[in-house]
Amino acid sequence: MTLLYPLDAELDPDVRLRLLGTKASGLHEMTALGIPVPPGFTITTEVGESFRETGEWPEGLETAVQGAIRNLERQLGRGYGDPNDPLLVSVRSGAPISMPGMMDTILNVGVNEATIPGLVAKHGNEWFALDAYRRLLQMYGTVVRGIGSDRFQFRLAELKTQRGQPRMADSELPVSAMRELVSDFSSLIEEASGSPFPQDVEVQLWDAVRAVFASWDNQRAIRYRRIQGIAEGIATACTVQAMVFGNTGAESGSGVAFTRNPSSGDKQLYGEYLPTAQGEDVVAGSRTPWPLTSTGAAPGKETMTLEGASPEAFALVSSYCETLERHFGDMQDIEFTVENGKPYVLQTRAAKRTARAAVRVAVHMVHEGVLSKEQALLRVDARSLEQLLQARLPSDADLAARGIEAAATGLPASPGAATGRIVFHADDAVRWAAEGQDVILVRPETSADDIHGMKVAKGVVTAAGGMTSHAAVVARGLGKCCVVGCSSLQVDFRDKTLTLREPSTETRLLREGDLLSLDGSTGKIYAGALDLMASATVEELAELMIWADEARRMRVYAEADTPQAARAALSYGAEGVGLCRTERMFFAPKRLFAMQCALIAMEDRQRRHWLAELERAQREDFIEIFEAMKGRPVTIRLLDRALEELLPEDEPSVRAVAEALDLELPEVAKASDRYRETNPAFGHRGVRAGLTVPGLYDMQLRAMLSAARECTERGVTVELEVLIPMVAFTSEVVALREVLDRVHAEVFTSKPKGFVCRVGTMIELPRSCLIADELARHADFFSFGGNDLTQTVLGVSREDANRFLPLYRNELGLLVGDPFTILDPRVVEMMRIALERGHAARPGLVAGLCGDQGGSPASIEACERLGLDFVSAPLAQLPGARLAAAQARIR
């Protein structure tokens, strides 16, 4: 086991990332580039894994850490715990996969009563020394002893109120108040935890290291990994670094810089800076910071920026940003501290960005010669492209014309628009969302503990914080609309109220449950619900999609059940319709009534009448879909619904069917009972119903073929693919083909021009996988039904899975992902068996995947490995599916 490495050690990049995590890996690369980085060392992920398993330190670690500390002392000429010239350190987490803000950090380790005089003498600033001490006390109390951070914040707020200035900044507290605060925090730790804050700096260090490693398993980190699909079987590393101080005076501060705008992707330095502050003040959002650049400041406030206040430091930060983006070939998110005018870089990582920014940055970097097209395609998260279909609010002019004004304005931290009901706590957001409510999470500021609430909320609002605060960064990563730093907003948790005090408008009082609308692109907040509009286009997306289409092998089809959906599919780049679910065409009231009458009818004459009504309706839909697709493949699945779900249930519906068929109510009830089942998901549905309910599939096939005939007579090419659902026996396919041949002969008296018709079978049962060789002799193509194949292989009803699968994933840790979203490995194995047997019987057999997994990048990658020919994705996931297919091929 490797125990630790100094930050200037030379390591292979892959080994470095695995052993040291993203944060320390970045520190190593910056050190090699000559960028000022405080020296330090990293305890490896292997130690973290061992600690997770045993709860003990591996042999030799304590000696190795002592040696690394002595090395730091020699480099800097200071002593850890030395009362005359003390060395302070930070202890930070850092996993191989970036998890911003989810694990713990402790700063200023090494401060105690004995080292305070040395800090004062070294820096000539007692306020700074006391500020470092109170920060350590608060972080130690919160992270190590588990004391709620709100208890420390309450003491701080109480102290300001006692001095008659409840809204004063921390940096404005006098030295006497800082002494009082240190004493209060020390007492709080002893009162709340039962033991005093340790004055032994060695105990401080090891408590901090232990807490950082343990933070891998804190609740917010676990939630974040589940949301992002990050595996549990790894651990964090722990980096110990010499402190640099942004709180020593006016020439010091801390900031965050993005090498490009993370919301828009514009090539401009973007970030924020807080004078007289340490790094956590910026990212925590507890204070609203200055902009980094003068161009980002409000008119007349250009001096309240790093560029205006300290141009030399700004120039150095800018040059470091350019160097790092060029070195990594990607947009970077950089944390830095300025100590007495000199900037140090504490972290660099690939920046979290909106989907809009990701697309624009990738395309621009190709044009700049930084990336190849293939590299650019791999830089964009395929899942995020769904965000580009985000809604937006009407324009300011449209709203003004309707007399609608913003109730408050904050900083536009993450674009998009949202409307929902106000909630003030993350747990309430989860509960309300589970009940089907759209919610807006409103907080004074967010912390990593709010991640589960942010995940389910439609939007997030905070009173404090800036564009690089925790709320902003996480919201952009989740694709959530977010407004931060809304200073006119006041939250009262006790009364669960929100007060909006904007100078130009009247004060508004809103309560939990009231409706609120956000515009994350302008930062404007509106009381009440506003209509949402379709999203604006991203010009660069078209170019990226051209590259993706050139790179991918698999065809990408759409799931479309209506003519409107078919037309939308083409605009999203679909190459055809891979799944048209005909059962959804029957849910309009008149069509559902006709279906109910056809199922209940006692006489063939009545049944034929109502099936003819359905045939006319379906034919009209099919004509529009064929015309919309203009000769592209259209795969239409025959009815696949448990018939009992189509029956009349309430008394008015039953009475209407009885009157239409001239039956008594008991007769309708008795006829309905023929279709009632104990387990309808595996009962009389799909091809079983189509072959046993007289005329049902005949009607659908006649509608398809007559629609095709009408289109071809008008010069429209039609490529029809008929899909047979729930096939378990080869004889079912043979029987269905006979029905199709008969109906085809009835509809077409001669061979039609411009018409192709193929017959395919759904492969969605284990038995159909095992008889794929037999099926291939009678089917022109296979379409794997991911949803049903998953539930039949796993023995899990999709409709009932949510009763326990979330518990499996979130509480028991038995599953990493949702098998109904990402193909399970054993489902993939069944698909492989079917493909091997199908291809053996019919070389060149075309096969693809449809269902909910068809738009999942992980499932698409599995399909590429299997060699499938196409995937069929839901409309909103089409751009992402095209990109994912390209990425899978490249990889």
Side-chain angles (χ1 to χ4, degrees), residues 6 103 106 111 115 175 292 312 319 400 402 608 650 668 758 776 803:
M103 292 179 290
I106 302 180
V111 181
T115 57
V175 168
L292 197 63
E312 297 85 0
S319 70
R402 291 156 55 189
R608 285 195 299 271
D650 57 87
V668 173
R758 289 185 286 269
R803 294 176 183 270

Side-chain angles (χ1 to χ4, degrees), residues 278-287 444-447 464-466 468-471:
Q278 290 194 342
E280 78 271 16
D281 297 331
V282 183
V283 295
S286 53
R287 291 164 58 188
E445 61 199 54
T446 65
S447 72
T468 57
S469 64
H470 170 270

Side-chain angles (χ1 to χ4, degrees), residues 411-686:
L411 300 173
S414 185
T419 291
R421 298 193 179 278
I422 296 169
V423 294
F424 297 107
H425 297 283
D427 289 342
D428 291 335
V430 172
R431 180 170 55 82
W432 285 41
E435 294 169 358
Q437 298 277 5
D438 291 343
V439 298
I440 304 292
L441 179 62
V442 179
R443 301 284 295 163
E445 61 199 54
T446 65
S447 72
D449 292 320
D450 296 317
I451 181 69
H452 56 306
M454 296 177 71
K455 169 67 175 174
V456 301
K458 295 296 181 183
V460 179
V461 180
T462 68
M467 305 283 274
T468 57
S469 64
H470 170 270
V473 171
V474 172
R476 284 193 290 268
L478 294 174
K480 300 290 182 179
C481 168
C482 181
V483 176
V484 300
C486 186
S487 56
S488 61
L489 179 154
Q490 288 186 318
V491 176
D492 186 330
F493 284 133
R494 185 183 62 184
D495 293 336
K496 294 190 174 181
T497 60
L498 167 65
T499 305
L500 300 171
R501 290 191 174 93
E502 196 80 355
S504 60
T505 60
E506 62 182 30
T507 297
R508 295 173 182 261
L509 180 69
L510 301 175
R511 301 184 181 280
E512 182 179 61
D514 286 348
L515 289 164
L516 201 66
S517 297
L518 315 179
D519 189 332
S521 301
T522 64
K524 293 183 178 180
I525 301 172
Y526 300 86
L530 296 182
D531 293 335
L532 303 182
M533 302 173 64
S535 61
T537 58
V538 179
E539 291 181 8
E540 291 83 354
L541 179 61
E543 189 168 5
L544 188 79
M545 288 293 98
I546 289 172
W547 301 343
D549 292 342
E550 291 171 348
R552 64 184 167 86
R553 180 192 59 81
M554 283 190 294
R555 297 189 295 279
V556 177
Y557 296 151
E559 296 182 1
D561 310 321
T562 66
Q564 296 82 3
R567 287 188 285 270
L570 282 184
S571 71
Y572 292 158
E575 296 175 83
V577 172
L579 180 62
C580 175
R581 297 176 172 93
T582 54
E583 58 271 10
R584 295 186 180 180
M585 295 176 168
F586 298 131
F587 291 154
K590 288 183 179 179
R591 297 184 183 191
L592 182 59
F593 178 71
M595 175 61 80
Q596 290 168 347
C597 289
L599 292 175
I600 299 298
M602 301 292 190
E603 300 175 7
D604 290 343
R605 174 186 56 81
Q606 290 178 318
R607 181 179 297 106
R608 285 195 299 271
H609 167 76
W610 291 108
L611 286 174
E613 290 289 315
L614 290 171
E615 182 184 326
R616 278 191 290 271
Q618 288 222 301
R619 183 174 65 246
E620 291 171 5
D621 283 346
F622 294 148
I623 288 171
E624 284 196 65
I625 291 173
F626 291 150
E627 288 178 338
M629 297 313 291
K630 299 175 182 176
R632 296 174 179 85
V634 177
T635 305
I636 301 177
R637 185 177 70 187
L638 293 160
L639 178 68
D640 185 24
R641 193 88 178 184
L643 295 181
E644 69 169 25
E645 296 178 16
L646 300 171
L647 296 174
E649 295 293 342
D650 57 87
E651 185 177 342
S653 299
V654 172
R655 191 174 299 277
V657 170
E659 291 175 1
L661 297 175
D662 195 24
L663 296 173
E664 298 296 326
L665 292 181
E667 291 179 291
V668 173
K670 184 176 180 180
S672 296
D673 286 343
R674 296 200 307 262
Y675 301 108
R676 304 289 181 192
E677 298 182 275
T678 304
N679 189 355
F682 301 110
H684 197 197
R685 58 170 280 207

Side-chain angles (χ1 to χ4, degrees), residues 32-53:
L33 290 169
I35 292 173
V37 172
F41 59 91
T42 302
I43 306 172
T44 68
T45 56
E46 290 182 341
V47 173
E49 291 167 10
S50 172
F51 179 74
R52 284 188 78 202
E53 291 174 6

